[in-house]
Amino acid sequence: MIPEETTREWQQQDAQHHLHPFSDSGALAEEGSRIITRAHGVHVWDSEGRQYLDAFAGLWCVNLGYGRQELVDAATRQMQELPYYNLFFKTSNPPVVALSKALAEIAPPHINHTFFTGSGSESNDTVLRMVRRYWDLKGQPSRKTIIGRENGYHGSTVAGASLGGMKPMHEQGDLPIPGIEHICQPYWYGEGGDMTPAEFGLHAAKALEEKILEVGAKNVAAFIAEPIQGAGGIIIPPDTYWPEIQRIVKQYDLLLIVDEVICGFGRTGEWFGSDYFGLEPDFMPIAKGLSSGYLPIGGVMVSDRVADVFKAEGKDFFHGFTYSGHPVCAAVALENLRILREERIVEKVKHETAPYLQEKWQSLSDHPLVGEARGVGMLAAIELVKNKKTRTRYFSEDSSEGTGKVGTICRDEALKIGLILRATGDTMLVSPPLVIEKDEIDELVRLTRKALDATLVHLS
Ligand code: PMP
């Protein structure tokens, strides 16, 4: 039992010395942060002893759940053997070699190389440099522009935030940097108006072609997208979207970057989101589930078409990080992949637990606040609305409350009853550990309904 004064001390020191990511640190200092002290399976506990079902797997990353001793042992062994060495200057190390091979084995057949980074953001910074380098090497240096999507998320570094389409991020720091354009997102529920999902999917894909023609095909290097937008609100494109995007990408000879940072490593019930949608990416940025979040590691998986050009170049690619392919992180990632494969976790998600989650999740549709319940694999969302028919929110964007108020209430009500949900605006998101069992899914859905009931009380 942690004494109450200790929690207060931690909160005070946190308030005095720690600036939090994606937070109003001033307001948080007043309120006091929640101190998470331990975790096991799909649960975490705070310093006051409260247990939470972590329906968000940390930040979409703890795919194997908490407390896997094998990952601890892999880190310990590697720390003792070789705690650090770099990959510059013609060197490699055994965990990185083995991890590169294991990744090639699970990736789509045309992807056989990985460049390692420390995070998803670094992976997308790396992609930007690789894409431009590729076109230079191909003798088409005018191909510089990368097209992303509004409300897409590709990280928080300068390139990551620029490739992403989060307006509040762009407003802080004069982003995006030059050479990056954005098109609309395939968010039928929020932006599809009177169109059917199929019509809207085509419409949203055609925006790519329009942008290519506007910028000039000879100036466009690549298109970047998440298979399913995560942070934007678990936005699952209509079925018509990805086939049309692939047609356009091929027709104009663009490179396709499919950001697998969330969808990779089993989240959709396939190894990669690209497998789920049948995509042929040239680059797959990865992170998060690669190590189940136990240690920071990311990478860019690269198609043969691109890797061959880099390998034939005969010159250094001047890019890399001190912690590219850190041996301890690589050893943990390798062990994480071994467990995912040997315990057939992705198959279990696909055939057993994800269909169960999705069926139970749909049962929330009858709640008065729920305009849509949707999901794929171990990703699911609900839209909170005032009027289901017109898809109208409780508070409009320009009202004093603004959209997001209802989502925030629901998230806070969920926390009170021991459930961690995430809110993006008035959309509630879940992305539980892949190892969640059926009885835990029952609990997740039961608590979500309870949080919805409590939210409704606030609104009436
Ligand atoms: N891409 C996607 C799709 C993400 O969801 C995230 C993180 N949420 C990132 C990139 C950035 O990853 P990181 O936070 O590890 O830098």
Side-chain angles (χ1 to χ4, degrees):
M1 194 60 190
I2 296 167
E4 219 171 276
E5 314 84 78
T6 309
T7 296
R8 298 295 154 258
E9 264 170 43
W10 279 333
Q11 285 175 329
Q12 263 171 19
Q13 289 170 17
D14 191 67
Q16 282 166 0
H17 303 294
H18 180 197
L19 294 175
H20 285 244
F22 280 95
S23 302
D24 173 347
S25 285
L28 186 56
E30 293 283 309
E31 192 183 331
S33 40
R34 209 166 339 108
I35 313 279
I36 300 295
T37 49
R38 65 190 176 92
H40 189 76
V42 298
H43 291 103
V44 300
W45 284 263
D46 70 17
S47 56
E48 290 168 325
R50 268 189 297 267
Q51 173 181 310
Y52 304 87
L53 198 172
D54 182 7
F56 213 67
L59 258 182
W60 328 81
C61 56
V62 188
N63 288 8
L64 277 188
Y66 299 94
R68 289 296 302 233
Q69 187 60 37
E70 301 94 319
L71 299 189
V72 180
D73 294 341
T76 309
R77 275 195 306 272
Q78 189 57 44
M79 281 260 188
Q80 285 162 344
E81 189 78 20
L82 177 73
Y84 175 76
Y85 203 73
N86 68 73
L87 303 179
F88 297 26
F89 321 131
K90 303 184 182 177
T91 59
S92 201
N93 61 60
V96 157
V97 174
L99 180 60
S100 307
K101 177 166 174 282
L103 284 167
E105 284 165 4
I106 58 174
H110 70 291
I111 295 188
N112 291 293
H113 293 78
T114 303
F115 186 102
F116 288 100
T117 70
S119 68
S121 299
E122 283 179 15
S123 300
N124 284 316
D125 276 52
T126 299
V127 156
L128 181 129
R129 297 203 59 205
M130 278 187 156
V131 160
R132 291 184 173 166
R133 184 77 192 128
Y134 172 85
W135 287 117
D136 284 351
L137 294 174
K138 293 289 281 182
Q140 298 186 54
S142 68
R143 282 194 184 258
K144 290 266 187 284
T145 300
I146 303 182
I147 301 174
R149 300 187 299 192
E150 290 160 10
N151 202 35
Y153 190 79
H154 300 295
S156 216
T157 49
V158 169
S162 294
L163 292 166
M166 298 285 177
K167 281 214 181 69
M169 294 178 79
H170 289 173
E171 281 163 13
Q172 298 177 348
D174 296 325
L175 303 177
I177 53 173
I180 294 175
E181 298 281 336
H182 296 91
I183 59 169
C184 63
Q185 54 178 337
Y187 181 24
W188 175 78
Y189 192 83
E191 297 173 4
D194 294 334
M195 283 184 247
T196 63
E199 285 165 355
F200 181 69
L202 278 182
H203 166 83
K206 292 254 184 315
L208 177 59
E209 191 157 33
E210 284 159 24
K211 185 57 87 178
I212 294 169
L213 296 175
E214 180 193 317
V215 176
K218 66 174 191 332
N219 300 320
V220 182
F223 175 61
I224 182 166
E226 302 153 80
I228 292 168
Q229 276 157 268
I234 307 196
I235 293 164
I236 306 162
D239 292 344
T240 48
Y241 182 76
W242 273 116
E244 182 65 3
I245 289 282
Q246 290 238 97
R247 177 193 71 72
I248 296 167
V249 162
K250 284 214 167 77
Q251 180 175 334
Y252 295 94
D253 195 24
L254 306 194
L255 294 167
L256 177 61
I257 309 161
V258 179
D259 185 334
E260 296 277 2
V261 169
I262 286 178
C263 288
F265 308 102
R267 181 111 337 251
T268 64
E270 304 287 346
W271 275 103
F272 294 97
S274 294
D275 300 321
Y276 182 83
F277 288 109
L279 310 179
E280 276 180 59
D282 294 292
F283 297 94
M284 298 199 308
I286 53 174
K288 296 193 190 273
L290 170 58
S291 66
S292 281
Y294 279 53
L295 282 177
I297 181 166
V300 181
M301 301 193 68
V302 179
S303 68
D304 295 341
R305 164 193 178 186
V306 174
D308 289 349
V309 170
F310 273 76
K311 283 183 154 179
E313 213 248 303
K315 254 204 198 151
D316 289 356
F317 174 47
F318 297 113
H319 180 82
F321 306 102
T322 303
Y323 301 130
S324 285
H326 189 291
V328 181
C329 304
V332 168
L334 187 63
E335 183 64 6
N336 177 60
L337 293 188
R338 184 194 68 73
I339 296 172
L340 284 170
R341 290 165 104 176
E342 285 184 12
E343 296 185 6
R344 303 183 65 77
I345 289 170
V346 183
E347 290 83 346
K348 183 172 170 187
V349 165
K350 178 173 180 172
H351 297 295
E352 250 181 78
T353 42
Y356 190 79
L357 169 69
Q358 297 304 337
E359 188 201 322
K360 297 285 158 184
W361 193 252
Q362 275 307 320
S363 73
L364 296 171
S365 304
D366 67 3
H367 193 280
L369 263 179
V370 175
E372 181 182 70
R374 59 171 179 266
V376 161
M378 283 291 170
L379 290 168
I382 42 180
E383 298 280 2
L384 308 187
V385 289
K386 186 168 187 187
N387 184 325
K388 295 188 184 217
K389 207 154 172 249
T390 56
R391 298 185 238 152
T392 322
R393 306 285 178 186
Y394 265 85
F395 305 106
S396 69
E397 209 141 333
D398 35 20
S399 72
S400 55
E401 277 88 1
T403 41
K405 161 127 189 196
V406 182
T408 307
I409 295 173
C410 186
R411 187 197 58 199
D412 292 347
E413 287 298 332
L415 278 174
K416 281 190 205 159
I417 54 172
L419 174 68
I420 298 177
L421 297 177
R422 173 156 166 178
T424 288
D426 288 338
T427 312
M428 307 310 297
L429 315 179
V430 296
S431 169
L434 303 186
V435 295
I436 191 169
E437 293 291 350
K438 288 184 179 172
D439 56 336
E440 294 163 332
I441 291 173
D442 290 340
E443 183 68 354
L444 188 167
V445 176
R446 187 184 70 77
L447 291 174
T448 304
R449 183 176 285 277
K450 229 176 136 185
L452 288 169
D453 289 343
T455 307
L456 203 53
V457 172
H458 279 268
L459 298 169
S460 44

